[in-house]
Amino acid sequence: MASFSPEEVRANYVAEFGDEDGPIVHRLTDAASQLALEWRVFLYLFCGPQERVDVLNRASGLTARLIQNLLWDNVLLRIRRLADPMTSRSNKNLSLEHLVRIGRNTKAVDLGPFLEVIRNEISELSAYASKYLAHSDLEHALGSKKVSIVRKDTTRAVKQIAGFVSMFHRDVRDVQHLIMPITSADDEQQFLARLHLGNVTAQANRFSRVEKAKMGEWDDALKSNIPDWILDMDFRNYPF
């Protein structure tokens, strides 16, 4: 399997679709891959066995909650942006609608009906992203109006967008394009494994310090093996 740098990939798209549309195809393909990657990480960390969430909470419940919310919010915003129209008033958007235009102009392939299906099915997700994330609609912020979302709808939307971009590459370029990026070292698993081992080590260290304190070895009991660049209390008290 050939491997290309990002610059080479972009150059290939420019050669195929021109100076204006080549970078658009490149960026939309990357956007779909990034969307799929972020949702894969979210599902792995927060929607698998309870033990995975327990590892995150033992390491830091607050940080785990922030990561959970930020990943889901960012995925919803990405979905909303990709489903935008090509133009909003005088503003041009990086939208999947460009792939419809490019497909029609280059190969007479009409992907428009497929995009409309996606837009209809993600209307609730788009409304949520608009009311709560892109803007802070007062009535929704105060709870007098509500838009609800569920995880399975987000998963379906991510699959639909990835499938749409794959369809473009298949029907317009005659290429089987893998949307989900292949990582080299099982990043999510490696991240969680190191957190788990860190939790185990932290528990052992706490037990050791307690035992040393019981024996009156206070210097060893109070000694920290955490480097100063982690224990940055000035930053914690006033980070900006």
Side-chain angles (χ1 to χ4, degrees):
M1 182 183 297
S3 178
F4 300 99
S5 69
E7 293 75 17
E8 289 172 326
V9 172
R10 185 180 187 277
N12 288 338
Y13 285 134
V14 169
E16 186 169 359
F17 296 107
D19 292 336
E20 181 176 341
D21 286 341
I24 292 175
V25 175
H26 183 213
R27 291 298 300 274
L28 284 170
T29 303
D30 279 357
S33 293
Q34 184 66 26
L35 173 68
L37 175 60
E38 289 184 11
W39 194 239
R40 186 185 77 185
V41 171
F42 176 90
L43 293 177
Y44 174 78
L45 292 178
F46 299 105
C47 305
Q50 180 62 39
E51 290 84 354
R52 294 180 190 168
V53 179
D54 292 342
V55 167
L56 294 166
N57 285 331
R58 281 196 295 271
S60 172
L62 173 62
T63 302
R65 171 64 69 174
L66 286 172
I67 293 172
Q68 180 182 6
N69 291 343
L70 288 170
L71 275 174
W72 198 343
D73 288 353
N74 198 53
V75 164
L76 292 171
L77 284 170
R78 286 182 181 277
I79 291 170
R80 178 182 180 272
R81 286 197 295 262
L82 286 170
D84 274 345
M86 286 190 297
T87 57
S88 302
R89 298 179 182 176
S90 61
N91 186 60
K92 295 181 179 179
N93 299 316
L94 184 70
S95 160
L96 293 175
E97 195 173 317
H98 282 286
L99 298 185
V100 175
R101 173 183 60 79
I102 293 169
R104 286 171 178 162
N105 292 344
T106 59
K107 292 291 180 69
V109 172
D110 188 6
L111 301 176
F114 299 99
L115 181 57
E116 285 309 305
V117 169
I118 293 174
R119 283 173 166 168
N120 289 333
E121 293 193 3
I122 68 169
S123 59
E124 286 293 309
L125 297 183
S126 295
Y128 181 94
S130 178
K131 297 296 185 181
Y132 295 102
L133 304 177
H135 310 286
S136 187
D137 180 78
L138 183 61
E139 290 181 305
H140 288 81
L142 298 179
S144 56
K145 288 186 177 181
K146 291 184 179 180
V147 177
S148 299
I149 57 170
V150 293
R151 188 181 69 235
K152 68 178 182 179
D153 291 341
T154 309
T155 299
R156 183 172 65 248
V158 172
K159 288 182 176 180
Q160 287 176 313
I161 289 173
F164 179 82
V165 176
S166 291
M167 184 189 301
F168 170 85
H169 285 276
R170 184 194 68 210
D171 294 352
V172 177
R173 302 184 62 227
D174 195 25
V175 170
Q176 296 297 323
H177 190 95
L178 182 66
I179 295 299
M180 177 65 75
I182 300 174
T183 53
S184 59
D186 296 326
D187 289 351
E188 305 98 312
Q189 292 89 334
Q190 180 175 273
F191 171 75
L192 201 64
R194 294 188 178 186
L195 275 184
H196 168 66
L197 294 175
N199 287 341
V200 171
T201 301
Q203 181 64 32
N205 287 341
R206 282 194 294 270
F207 178 80
S208 176
R209 288 197 297 270
V210 169
E211 292 302 306
K212 289 176 180 177
K214 288 179 179 178
M215 293 184 292
E217 300 175 5
W218 292 104
D219 287 344
D220 287 341
L222 297 174
K223 185 182 299 181
S224 173
N225 60 356
I226 300 176
D228 291 340
W229 53 266
I230 290 180
L231 297 176
D232 189 345
M233 297 307 297
D234 290 338
F235 179 85
R236 181 178 175 84
N237 293 332
Y238 194 73
F240 35 73

